[in-house]
Amino acid sequence: MQEKELIIRLLSFLKPHKTKIFLAILCMILGSGLTSAQAYMIKPLLDEIFVNKDRWMLNILPFVLILVFLLKGISNYFSTFLLDTLGQGIIRDLRKKIFSHIHSLPISFFHTTPTGELISRVINDSTLIQMAVSRALAGVFKDLFQVFGLIFVVVYLNWKLALVALVFLPLAFIPVSHFGRKFRKLSTTNQQTVAQVSNILHETITGHKIVKAFGMERYEIKRFSETVDKLFGIIVKDIKNNSLQGPIMELLGGLGITAIIWYGGHQVITGQSTPGIFFAFLTSIIMIYNPIKGVSNINSAIQQGLASATRIFTLLDTKSSIQDKAEAIPLPPFQKEIGFADVSFSYDGKIDVLKDINLTVRFGEVIALVGTSGGGKTTLVNLLPRFFDVTKGSIKIDGHDLRDLTMTSLRNQMAIVSQQTILFNDTVKSNIAYGDPSRSDQEIIAAAKAAHAYDFIKELPNGFDTVVGESGARLSGGQQQRLSIARALLKNAPILILDEATSALDTESEQEVQKALENLMKDRTTFVIAHRLSTIRNADRIIVIQDGTIVEEGNHQTLLENKGAYYMLHGRQH
Ligand SMILES: Nc1ncnc2c1ncn2[C@@H]1O[C@H](COP(=O)(O)OP(=O)(O)OP(=O)(O)O)[C@@H](O)[C@H]1O
Ligand SMILES: [Mg+2]
């Protein structure tokens, strides 16, 4: 992306805050003017009060001073307040936008993007953009104006002395640009190392069990230590530069100030100037130091902000490959059939994981999908809620191609228990009612009972209000599964997808849950995937999928009599 384009896009984020920015700029300009006025006021203070012993001035000056300090305080307060709230507002807007964009992206996106990276976009990059915007605004409208104001005072007070200053003082700012360049270089490596640290953190904390099980603690600790050491090294360099910059500037500035004292003193002694002018001049020169440093930092902050903006915009520009069409219609309540016609699907565009699937499922049918691992069962059911789109062929519900329907209406008619149970770090109740927080306690309890989860939930320390831990870590695998089943049952959707929903249960509970599920399957269309063939014995139709194709279909009895693939699978389990 071009720098200009980037900046224009960034400015669009500032648009809603126009008034705030305008007011902040006004306050910053006012503050700069008042600071210059303060420096100038040393002249009448010294010349009129101390040298000329002017009583009238002695009475008037304090009031002017109070007024200047008061106004400066007020303008500083508002400029800081406005600028900081503006910055936080930008962070908030960006975070909301990135978050909703991330959740609009299809599942395939998450298979290729590390979580740590996405988190870093929302947390770090938005902050760096805020810093760049605040720094750029303050740098131009506060620091730069301050520099101009003070230069004006200096020239106005004594242009000859100003010429001397002009010769010597730039010396003091050589280190500013020298160190500025160094900082910029370091900040890039710094950024990359911080990203590495967060990646290792994310990976090892979410994978802590495997780290333990494989005894990899020492290895991970070493890997982490090395990265943190590297970061430390970079920061030490930064500190070194930072602590050198001040003294060197002061030393070189001291030379300039010595020249000013010598020439200015000479002017005062020979009567060409007054002590008031001299001290007001000196004060202004010293006061220029900070704003110039501020101005010199603008560029590095902007560069960092632009780098972050590039990363954020690249993410925001990632188009979702699965979206509602403009003319998409809501799916009317499911009534007749779901049809797969010549469906092929490939994850990578090369290997077809599903090949020419033809299947018609009637309303109310219970379809079981069986077959060897990796055959394509999960892939097939993932096409129904459009987690992925078919590569070839079409899937139709009551004659409507899935791609012509709105995603919300389509997914509303499906309840899914996925192969990996997914629970949130929230209460049992909210986990069951996920997707519809308005459900009553009675309904939640009924769903829990149907999923055979009620008994163990009652035993939990806080019952339905127990927090289950990250990904349900405080529950057993079977308990997690039963909560997922309860969640799907509560949704009460006409199409039910159960992908190994009971695989983590012992045979006895499985049979219990199975009974409950069978009750539920009555007025529903159900896709059941199971390795344990005992659980699908009663399905209306059993589909055997191998290597992405349907190799056999029929009910339990006929398939056994066929002595084909199903018979083989069945044989292996007995
Ligand atoms: N996100 C993905 N990207 C690329 N290939 C994938 C992806 N997910 C699955 N596959 C591949 O697609 C094939 C079918 O996988 P799928 O998960 O549908 O199998 P399955 O029949 O559900 O197996 P299991 O019984 O073990 O759950 C496998 O060969 C797998 O390697
Ligand atoms: Mg699977």
Side-chain angles (χ1 to χ4, degrees), residues 459-487:
E459 301 293 311
L460 293 174
N462 297 315
F464 277 87
D465 294 316
T466 312
V467 175
V468 299
E470 198 174 20
S471 322
R474 282 188 222 141
L475 301 175
S476 77
Q479 290 171 337
Q480 291 175 19
Q481 257 188 351
R482 277 178 277 173
L483 284 195
S484 313
I485 293 172
R487 176 196 288 164

Side-chain angles (χ1 to χ4, degrees), residues 30 69 72 84 86 96 140 152 186 228 230 249 259 284 299 312 367 377 482 486 492 497 545 552:
L30 184 65
F69 273 107
K72 198 180 146 185
D84 287 357
L86 164 75
K96 284 186 192 171
V140 172
F152 176 79
L186 281 177
V228 178
K230 191 169 142 204
M249 259 181 102
S284 308
N299 192 37
I312 288 182
I367 293 286
K377 303 179 292 296
R482 277 178 277 173
N492 196 17
I497 297 170
I545 296 182
E552 226 181 0

